[in-house]
């Protein structure tokens, strides 16, 4: 045991003595010219290292450097700058006159991926074939990097003519083997327009053909997005899949995508190009898609109202600048979207078998298919959306079949005064995409048919029967259990917030109805008259016969929260009684005159 300990001690002394001798005998500054030359020969980039290089022995044999920069040929700004650089080197290759760098470590670095940092060809230079693989230096040295670390750095990304994005707290760990199979671990955050986006990524990729081609797999990508014009709880989720990037053609492809966003879950594929005009082709399938948890415009529920009450409004000084359609990336993009969803939620409406097929050509979006099921009914809303001009214009051709009315009224923040189902076919157009825009700036018309209509807490037959009973005891009517209007059909129109009902007709077995009037969505007022003809009167035969053919108007008017009703049954009945009395008087006079003429 004592001999083993002695042997290990001797070995340790030899190693320490060797490393000490190496540090004393080898000057790391001798590698400066070699590293600069190798980088420029292999890539064309210019490496600049300021200050003296020095050894760092423990816990890893390293070369420490001061400020460094890496600049592409002809670029006006460096691609990479850093205040500190550490090169972890392998010990044994140094003994055979080789520099083997196992890891490059940069701290507080600035990486610029911008037009100013891109390589620029000299003016008038000939276009030749792709550069051949670099040859090794003849002086016997080799240069190999297997690991790259970036800590607490900044990535500046900008496309030609586009906005600049600053990715802060940029941390990167990159490991690759001899065959260029690499693993990556990345985390960063970006803030823009009062929105914060954080992301962390772990994956594998094949860099054998880099920089011309890069392929790999995303094992896990966790993200969080919060801030202005986003849901209170933000948007968070994960992403995984496989991808490929072609740098020469600026094309990418993503397959086997698995995406979650809050309580929504999607899978599918994507492919496109970053060359102008940019192109994106998405094919997605969602098992669950809750748009209300992804959009700030979703209607507030009773539970969410209390949450919004505690939200502190952002100071005016922090408000983002006003944006218009010229800021939209869709103006420079060709987009094709094919989305199917088993279940979806939009403004409280539960949709099933949702199918969306849409395309965008530099700002002109075409909804060739937007259809699905809504409860026991179906809907289809094809149309176009044009954002090529400062004001968004919309044209839609909605078609509904047997859709419940009450959920629709709630979704569009309208009074839930009607129950039943509706079928319609319409043509709408206007400016803006929000619900408020639809209420204020859209116009159009539709043919509709409503079935099994019921006015909330209002029985028309009962109202008329009781009003007649209060005026006269000579008539009665069985109220019956059926309080609904079996069918009502006609044409309605919308003009900048005013819904006009020119002539809706229908009824049930004992009730004929004709409605007309208007509803003002902006002032939240209405003035609608329902002309009713109630059948089944009993009592005085002559008066009952007249009332069975008599129209009784019910007028509803005023603000939604305080509706007024007018049901002039007494006037109608009084007119009928006066008319009946007049007729009977005329008949009596005729009889008297006839009797006087007889001898």
């Amino acid at each position: 045991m004592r001999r083993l300990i002695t042997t290990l001690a001797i070995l340790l002394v030899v190693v320490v003595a060797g490393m000490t001798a190496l540090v004393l005998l080898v000057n790391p500054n001798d590698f400066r010219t070699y590293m600069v030359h190798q980088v420029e020969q292999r890539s064309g980039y210019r490496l600049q290292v300021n200050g003296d290089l020095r050894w760092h022995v423990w816990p890893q044999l390293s070369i420490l450097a001061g400020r460094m920069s890496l600049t592409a040929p002809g670029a006006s700004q460096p691609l990479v700058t850093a205040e500190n650089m550490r090169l972890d080197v392998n010990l044994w290759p140094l003994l055979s006159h080789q520099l083997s760098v196992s890891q490059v470590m940069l701290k507080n670095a600035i990486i610029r991926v911008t037009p100013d940092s891109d390589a620029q060809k000299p003016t008038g230079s000939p276009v030749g074939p792709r550069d051949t693989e670099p040859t090794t230096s003849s002086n016997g040295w080799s240069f190999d990097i297997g690991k790259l670390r970036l800590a607490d750095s900044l990535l500046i990304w900008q496309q030609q003519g586009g906005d600049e994005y600053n990715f802060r707290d940029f941390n990167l760990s990159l490991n690759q083997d001899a065959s260029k199979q690499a693993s990556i671990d990345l985390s960063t955050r970006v803030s823009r327009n009062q929105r914060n986006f954080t992301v962390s990524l772990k994956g594998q990729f094949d860099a054998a053909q880099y920089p011309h081609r890069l392929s790999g797999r995303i094992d896990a990508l966790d993200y969080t997005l919060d801030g202005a014009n986003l849901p209170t709880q933000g948007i968070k989720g994960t992403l995984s899949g496989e991808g490929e990037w072609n740098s020469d053609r600026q094309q990418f492809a993503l397959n086997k995508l698995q995406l979650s966003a809050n309580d929504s879950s999607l899978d599918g594929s994507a492919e496109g190009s970053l060359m102008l005009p940019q192109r994106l082709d998405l094919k997605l399938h969602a098992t669950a898609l809750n748009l209300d948890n992804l959009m700030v415009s979703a209607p507030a529920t009773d539970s969410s109202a209390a949450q919004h009450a505690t939200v502190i409004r952002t100071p005016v000084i922090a408000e983002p600048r006003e944006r218009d359609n010229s800021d939209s990336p869709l103006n420079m993009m060709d987009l094709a979207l094919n989305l199917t969803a088993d279940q979806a939620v939009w403004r409280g409406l539960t949709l099933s078998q949702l199918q969306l097929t849409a395309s965008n050509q530099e700002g002109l979006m075409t909804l060739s298919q937007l259809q699905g099921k809504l409860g026991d009914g179906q809907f289809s809303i094809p149309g176009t959306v044009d954002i090529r001009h400062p004001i968004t214009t919309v044209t839609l051709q909605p078609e509904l079949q047997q859709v419940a009315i009450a959920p629709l009224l709630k979704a569009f923040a309208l009074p839930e005064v009607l129950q039943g189902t509706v079928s319609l076919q319409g043509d709408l157009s206007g400016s803006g995409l929000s619900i408020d825009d639809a209420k204020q700036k859209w116009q159009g018309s539709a043919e509709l048919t409503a079935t099994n209509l019921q006015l909330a807490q209002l029985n028309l037959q009962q109202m008329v029967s009781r009003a007649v009973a209060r005026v006269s005891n000579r008539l009665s009517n069985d109220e019956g259990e059926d309080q609904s209007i079996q069918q009502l059909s006609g044409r309605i129109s919308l003009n900048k917030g005013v819904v006009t009902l020119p002539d809706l007709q229908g009824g049930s077995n004992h009730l004929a109805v004709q409605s007309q009037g208007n509803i003002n969505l902006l002032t939240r007022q209405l003035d609608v008259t329902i002309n009713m003809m109630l059948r089944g009167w009993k009592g005085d035969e002559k008066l009952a016969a007249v009332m069975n053919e008599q129209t009784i108007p019910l007028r509803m008017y005023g603000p939604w929260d305080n509706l007024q009703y007018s049901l002039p049954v007494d006037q109608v009945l009084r007119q009928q009684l006066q008319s009946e009395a007049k007729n009977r008087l005329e008949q009596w006079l005729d009889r008297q005159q006839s009797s006087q003429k007889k001898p």
Side-chain angles (χ1 to χ4, degrees), residues 528-574:
V528 176
T529 299
I530 303 177
N531 295 312
M532 298 174 289
M533 186 180 294
L534 182 60
R535 301 182 180 91
W537 293 103
K538 299 177 182 179
D540 188 295
E541 293 184 0
K542 292 185 178 181
L543 186 57
V546 173
M547 288 296 294
N548 284 332
E549 301 298 328
Q550 178 62 42
T551 299
I552 301 176
L554 169 64
R555 183 189 176 199
M556 296 182 292
Y557 59 95
W560 294 347
D561 299 332
N562 187 24
L563 274 180
Q564 304 295 316
Y565 299 91
S566 175
L567 184 60
V569 173
D570 54 342
Q571 298 178 11
V572 173
L573 192 57
R574 187 179 303 111

Side-chain angles (χ1 to χ4, degrees), residues 386-504:
D386 192 347
I387 63 171
R388 295 174 296 180
H389 307 287
I391 298 178
T392 301
T393 57
V394 183
T395 60
L396 299 175
Q397 295 81 43
E399 182 176 350
L400 306 181
Q401 296 180 7
Q402 297 298 314
V403 174
I405 296 177
L408 285 179
L409 295 175
K410 183 178 181 180
F412 289 94
L414 298 174
E416 301 174 53
V417 296
L418 285 177
Q419 296 180 355
T421 60
V422 63
S423 299
L424 68 80
Q425 190 167 12
D427 192 351
L428 299 174
S429 62
S431 59
L433 282 173
S434 67
I435 297 297
D436 290 339
D437 288 334
K439 292 179 180 180
Q440 299 177 22
K441 304 175 183 178
W442 287 20
Q443 58 275 334
S445 59
E447 292 284 346
L448 69 80
T449 299
T451 57
N452 299 322
L453 277 180
Q454 291 186 6
L455 290 171
Q457 300 179 352
L458 193 63
N459 187 335
L460 297 179
Q461 300 182 41
Q462 187 182 76
M463 288 180 64
V464 175
S465 298
R466 292 183 177 180
V468 171
R470 286 194 297 267
V471 178
S472 173
N473 57 2
R474 298 169 56 187
L475 292 174
S476 64
N477 194 299
D478 296 334
E479 299 175 1
E481 297 181 357
D482 187 7
Q483 303 177 8
S484 65
I485 301 174
Q486 294 178 358
Q487 184 173 341
L488 187 67
S489 60
R491 189 173 188 85
I492 65 172
S493 62
L494 171 67
N495 185 17
K496 296 181 179 179
V498 178
V499 178
T500 303
L501 315 175
D503 188 11
L504 297 179

